[in-house]
Amino acid sequence: MKLSNHGEFGLIERIRKLSFQKTLSARVGIGDDAAAWKISASHIALATTDLLVEDVHFDLSYTDYYSLGWKSAAVNLSDIAAMGGTPRFCLTALAIPAGIPEERILDFYRGFGALLRAEKTSLIGGDTCSSRDRFFISVTALGEARRSQIVTRAGARPGDRIFVTGPLGDSAAGMEILKKGRRGHGAKGGGRNAGRLVEKHLRPVPRVEWGRKIARSGCASAMIDISDGLSSDLSHICRQSGVGADIVSSLVPMSGSLAEAAFRLSKPALQYALDGGEDYELLFTVSASRVSRLRALKLPVTEIGAITRGKRIHLVNGEGKKSELHPAGYDHFRGLTRKR
Ligand code: ADP
Ligand code: MG
């Protein structure tokens, strides 16, 4: 059987069935943003790991090492944020090709350390080895949360409102601008505010503080970070909660910079917002009775739809017409799973 037959998430589901987690006291195992287990009467530990591979996740022709270090930390801290936790420690394992000068690796750690410092998180270990021709980065983040306050992907219920913490699609447009620049079209292809989009792609800010506030308030029934794209990550919440969702296209938050860049890139801005990944905003659901509790937190969140019975996700347009929204993010064994 080829890996592309079941795709990345089919493979993970098969690995999960072979895992030994039922014999462990893990409260959350394979399938959520981070694994969680009880460490004391009041607290649980969180662990997550991500692998970044040169020419799969990043392109050194337009990525500087400082940003690469920052982003390697951000993608992991974002998974701790998605559980409502506080990151405490990181471990990094690098496989480095001979051609990379030591100073560039130190730049990587300057960027990595800048985000860790901002989040009061420490690097406590790792591993270093050589690689034949590509740079491989593996980061593990460890965190903690109060026991009653983690939020998984599995708690969304029909009627819950769906929220995101920020504009979507900026990162994907930023990547396209960078790719065009590499091909000699000039990095300004995305308009006056292209720099903002590029920065969002290269140095995303994980929503750690907001994730913690949302979790502590007890208002969220489910939460995930947007790493693969809204359509994909919402489908993870829906699958694990056994529900569907309606997303109102006019409510999906998009920045003015994205609108300008999308026009220049001749693609609908909404396509970046729905399917473009790596925004690292939080996507979460709140029961109608707890929306006021969320509003009291005064976070810059946007309501974009509601959880429904059934299993499908629909996009509702300006005239109230529904069309099915299929997950269209990136699958490592299938590439872009569906083009709009
Ligand atoms: P995220 O986008 O939040 O990083 P992923 O889509 O990478 O999450 O992974 C989904 C879930 O599957 C996570 O719980 C992760 O720990 C688990 N997972 C992914 N790959 C493997 C693997 N090779 N072995 C065990 N668990 C895995
Ligand atoms: Mg995640």
Side-chain angles (χ1 to χ4, degrees), residues 32-34 48 50 75-76 78-80 82-83 153 223-228 233 236 280:
D32 224 296
D33 291 290
T48 179
D50 266 298
V75 302
N76 279 273
S78 179
D79 278 327
I80 299 285
M83 304 296 289
R153 298 175 177 180
M223 187 150 67
I224 191 170
D225 67 322
I226 301 185
S227 53
D228 297 329
D233 290 313
H236 295 318
Y280 298 105

Side-chain angles (χ1 to χ4, degrees), residues 27 83-85 145-151 211-212 215-218:
R27 174 149 167 217
M83 304 296 289
R146 289 186 206 153
R147 219 177 129 193
S148 56
Q149 286 172 355
I150 59 160
V151 188
R212 196 165 39 220
R216 285 189 178 171
S217 76

Side-chain angles (χ1 to χ4, degrees), residues 68-131:
L68 186 58
W70 174 284
K71 187 164 179 175
S72 302
V75 302
N76 279 273
L77 299 197
S78 179
D79 278 327
I80 299 285
M83 304 296 289
T86 300
R88 292 283 183 229
F89 302 108
C90 284
L91 297 110
T92 54
L94 303 186
I96 310 170
I100 299 183
E102 185 186 277
E103 195 55 31
R104 299 290 78 76
I105 299 300
L106 298 179
D107 282 344
F108 173 93
Y109 279 102
R110 287 181 187 109
F112 192 89
L115 181 57
L116 259 58
R117 258 194 310 285
E119 295 296 343
K120 300 188 175 55
T121 304
S122 312
L123 177 63
I124 54 163
D127 195 18
T128 308
C129 69
S130 64
S131 163

Side-chain angles (χ1 to χ4, degrees), residues 23-246:
T23 65
L24 300 173
S25 57
R27 174 149 167 217
V28 180
I30 295 174
D32 224 296
D33 291 290
W37 67 98
K38 188 177 147 186
I39 43 172
S40 73
S42 59
H43 277 74
I44 56 155
L46 297 166
T48 179
T49 191
D50 266 298
L51 185 62
L52 283 86
V53 176
E54 183 183 352
D55 294 339
V56 175
H57 297 94
F58 60 91
D59 184 330
L60 287 172
S61 69
Y62 59 72
T63 310
D64 61 285
Y65 284 82
Y66 183 98
S67 297
L68 186 58
W70 174 284
K71 187 164 179 175
S72 302
V75 302
N76 279 273
L77 299 197
S78 179
D79 278 327
I80 299 285
M83 304 296 289
T86 300
R88 292 283 183 229
F89 302 108
C90 284
L91 297 110
T92 54
L94 303 186
I96 310 170
I100 299 183
E102 185 186 277
E103 195 55 31
R104 299 290 78 76
I105 299 300
L106 298 179
D107 282 344
F108 173 93
Y109 279 102
R110 287 181 187 109
F112 192 89
L115 181 57
L116 259 58
R117 258 194 310 285
E119 295 296 343
K120 300 188 175 55
T121 304
S122 312
L123 177 63
I124 54 163
D127 195 18
T128 308
C129 69
S130 64
S131 163
R132 227 170 34 209
D133 60 356
R134 293 288 192 277
F135 188 19
F136 292 80
I137 303 157
S138 163
V139 179
T140 299
L142 305 171
E144 63 188 35
R146 289 186 206 153
R147 219 177 129 193
S148 56
Q149 286 172 355
I150 59 160
V151 188
T152 70
R153 298 175 177 180
R157 296 291 169 260
D160 287 1
R161 310 292 173 209
I162 304 170
F163 290 86
V164 287
T165 51
L168 303 180
D170 284 1
S171 173
M175 183 174 80
E176 215 159 295
I177 292 163
L178 284 164
K179 282 192 168 153
K180 276 195 188 298
R182 184 192 54 184
R183 289 200 295 265
H185 296 281
K188 292 195 180 72
R192 262 179 310 135
N193 296 313
R196 266 207 57 239
L197 305 175
V198 163
E199 185 169 334
K200 181 102 194 220
H201 180 70
L202 293 177
R203 288 187 298 281
V205 177
R207 305 304 190 188
V208 178
E209 181 61 34
W210 297 353
R212 196 165 39 220
K213 280 190 174 156
I214 291 163
R216 285 189 178 171
S217 76
C219 65
S221 49
M223 187 150 67
I224 191 170
D225 67 322
I226 301 185
S227 53
D228 297 329
L230 174 63
S231 61
S232 277
D233 290 313
L234 179 58
S235 79
H236 295 318
I237 285 190
C238 287
R239 202 183 51 253
Q240 303 216 13
S241 301
V243 295
D246 283 351

Side-chain angles (χ1 to χ4, degrees), residues 9 26 111 124 128 133 145 169 193 209 216 239 247 252 295 302 312 325 340:
F9 298 107
I124 54 163
T128 308
D133 60 356
N193 296 313
E209 181 61 34
R216 285 189 178 171
R239 202 183 51 253
I247 295 296
V252 175
R295 296 283 180 218
T302 308
R312 299 205 169 144
L325 181 67
R340 283 188 214 294

